[in-house]
Amino acid sequence: MKGDWVKRGLPNAPVLVFIHGVLSSGESCWRHPSGANWPEIAAKDPDMSALSVYVFTYRTGFFSGNYGLVDAANALKEHFSVDGVNSSKELVFVCHSMGGIVARRYLVSQAAELISRQVQIALFLLASPSLGSDYANLVSPLAKIVGHLQVAALRSARSNAWLHELDHDFRNLKERALLPISGKELIEDRFVASRWLLRKQVVEPFSGACYFAEPYKVPGSDHFSIVKIENEHAIQHRQLKHFVAEWRLTKTRAGTAGDSVKQSRINPIESGQDSLAISSNNMLSTKLQDIAPGGQPSQTSLSAVEEAIAPFPHASLEAIMGDPATKHLVDRFWDLDASDRREIALELGLISEGEVDLPELQRYGVALIRASERNLLDQLEKLVKVRE
């Protein structure tokens, strides 16, 4: 039971919190056969130099007995307090297997306190059995004999009231958005080769990819190798780095867009003024001024305006498209599955095939702006309604 600072970064930068899985530890979970260790790789990555790295280890040995996941989540809370993790307003949980359940239990139980401190949360889940695992069902008789509560808690949610309740509480917490939670889920590719194991993944896709859009299956990985990376070029680390960068950028843009909306209420738009120039945030205004040095965004070409606005999330789209009905449509569009959003955008010609691989926020930011400019919002609404 311990929490270790691998590196302390800048005071206002996020903390990467690594949490291992069942029957593992903060040392063995992340270590590659070559000796490379993922938290250490993250700490040394120059692209993540501002971030702090913290590794939490909880009791989960074969004979950990009645030390359950609630105890582990409570231990996480106490270590955060005494180790100074609570000074950060941005936490990125990097969780393997049962570590994801420990993190979700912590978030649900500490939601009020986290909300009061205005903490921002990101979850990077690797082969985490959010809905349990049939492997835990397989070994549950042995777990009962030795009194292992943690394995019991990992049983499939179909027969696991505790895990089902946690899933329900976490979904409610996430959807209410009082505590901002973003996430990325990576899932294993292959089953673990062994004569006595089931011929399927330890954590199946339906259980390991159920909370966040666009999960990623790591090619060639199994339940254990998925977190044992050899160097900074591993796809898992590159995904983590990209996820954190996008998350921080999204938070900054959304916050700035919100400030712009407040400012527009203080200084209402006068007749004849350009609403785009008034409602955009400082970053957008700077881009528009670069495009049109004379400071007249209304004379900028459509493609240039799209390029300036495209990276901004739907919060800033709402600021630009001020009609309440349009705001509601934007929210409904973002509530769709990623595949539905892509099909609609392509069907209406709002994105090209070459733009499909753009980051999601940029891709659909462009699509929604084009729908507004091309008077396609009615058609967009019809296609959204069909898929709801």
Side-chain angles (χ1 to χ4, degrees):
M1 293 284 298
K2 62 178 181 176
D4 292 320
W5 286 103
V6 180
K7 185 190 76 171
R8 292 181 184 265
L10 298 179
N12 61 342
V15 178
L16 296 180
V17 179
F18 285 80
I19 306 179
H20 62 84
V22 67
L23 302 177
S24 187
S25 71
E27 170 61 26
S28 62
C29 174
W30 313 102
R31 190 162 296 283
H32 187 270
S34 68
N37 178 279
W38 194 353
E40 294 172 0
I41 290 172
K44 295 175 182 177
D45 191 325
D47 294 333
M48 307 178 83
S49 60
L51 278 60
S52 297
V53 179
Y54 180 86
V55 179
F56 176 65
T57 298
Y58 57 95
R59 186 183 177 202
T60 179
F62 186 76
F63 295 104
S64 57
N66 62 359
Y67 191 89
L69 295 183
V70 173
D71 299 310
N74 289 339
L76 180 64
K77 167 184 173 292
E78 295 301 322
H79 278 276
F80 274 9
S81 179
V82 300
D83 292 338
V85 180
N86 283 342
S87 63
S88 175
K89 294 293 185 70
E90 300 178 0
L91 299 177
V92 181
F93 291 90
V94 184
C95 306
H96 176 232
S97 190
M98 191 173 73
I101 299 178
V102 173
R104 289 192 293 116
R105 170 64 192 182
Y106 166 79
L107 294 176
V108 167
S109 64
Q110 301 302 313
E113 191 265 340
L114 293 168
I115 292 169
S116 69
R117 291 198 292 114
Q118 298 183 320
V119 177
Q120 305 268 344
I121 300 296
L123 289 172
F124 192 79
L125 304 177
L126 299 115
S128 183
S130 298
L131 300 179
S133 170
D134 285 341
Y135 280 89
N137 293 354
L138 183 67
V139 300
S140 60
L142 178 61
K144 287 182 180 179
I145 293 174
V146 299
H148 202 291
L149 287 185
Q150 294 173 11
V151 171
L154 285 173
R155 288 182 294 109
S156 173
R158 293 187 295 268
S159 58
N160 188 339
W162 184 87
L163 192 59
H164 180 77
E165 182 178 348
L166 176 60
D167 172 65
H168 177 269
D169 291 345
F170 177 75
R171 288 181 186 275
N172 284 343
L173 177 64
K174 174 177 172 287
E175 295 305 318
R176 286 170 184 160
L178 295 176
L179 178 65
I181 301 175
S182 300
K184 179 73 176 179
E185 294 166 307
L186 272 58
I187 57 178
E188 61 207 68
D189 181 20
R190 299 184 289 108
F191 58 82
V192 179
S194 179
R195 287 181 299 174
W196 66 273
L197 290 178
L198 302 175
R199 303 290 287 182
K200 60 183 178 182
Q201 299 101 326
V202 174
V203 177
E204 295 179 87
F206 79 89
S207 181
C210 62
Y211 292 127
F212 305 104
E214 299 184 344
Y216 178 75
K217 181 181 286 187
V218 179
S221 67
D222 62 34
H223 186 69
F224 305 104
S225 67
I226 193 171
V227 293
K228 300 181 186 298
I229 68 170
E230 188 170 11
N231 52 50
E232 70 276 12
H233 303 299
I235 186 61
Q236 298 95 310
H237 181 70
R238 290 163 56 200
Q239 288 264 10
L240 172 62
K241 192 159 55 172
H242 177 75
F243 168 68
V244 173
E246 286 290 311
W247 173 63
R248 297 187 73 191
L249 193 60
T250 300
K251 291 191 300 87
T252 300
R253 288 167 173 169
T256 311
D259 292 341
S260 300
V261 174
K262 293 177 183 176
Q263 184 63 35
S264 69
R265 291 170 181 164
I266 296 171
N267 299 316
I269 300 172
E270 297 178 5
S271 176
Q273 282 187 297
D274 193 302
S275 61
L276 176 60
I278 296 296
S279 65
S280 60
N281 55 44
N282 292 336
M283 292 175 64
L284 177 57
S285 297
T286 301
K287 285 181 177 251
L288 289 174
Q289 288 167 8
D290 290 341
I291 296 168
Q296 298 297 327
S298 60
Q299 297 175 4
T300 306
S301 68
L302 174 61
S303 60
V305 172
E306 288 176 340
E307 182 179 355
I309 296 172
F312 287 78
H314 68 281
S316 97
L317 285 169
E318 293 175 2
I320 294 169
M321 296 184 283
D323 177 62
T326 304
K327 289 183 181 181
H328 181 57
L329 176 58
V330 169
D331 284 336
R332 291 167 59 199
F333 177 81
W334 281 100
D335 284 340
L336 296 175
D337 291 339
S339 59
D340 289 332
R341 290 197 298 269
R342 181 169 57 250
E343 290 175 3
I344 290 174
L346 288 171
E347 182 174 340
L348 294 179
L350 301 177
I351 58 173
S352 65
E353 291 289 348
E355 292 170 324
V356 169
D357 294 328
L358 288 174
E360 189 176 28
L361 291 172
Q362 184 176 355
R363 183 194 322 155
Y364 296 121
V366 167
L368 291 167
I369 290 295
R370 287 174 179 164
S372 176
E373 295 291 345
R374 298 173 184 176
N375 296 319
L376 294 175
L377 292 178
D378 287 343
Q379 294 184 46
L380 178 65
E381 196 278 335
K382 292 178 182 178
L383 293 176
V384 168
K385 186 175 181 179
V386 169
R387 288 165 171 82
E388 286 179 327

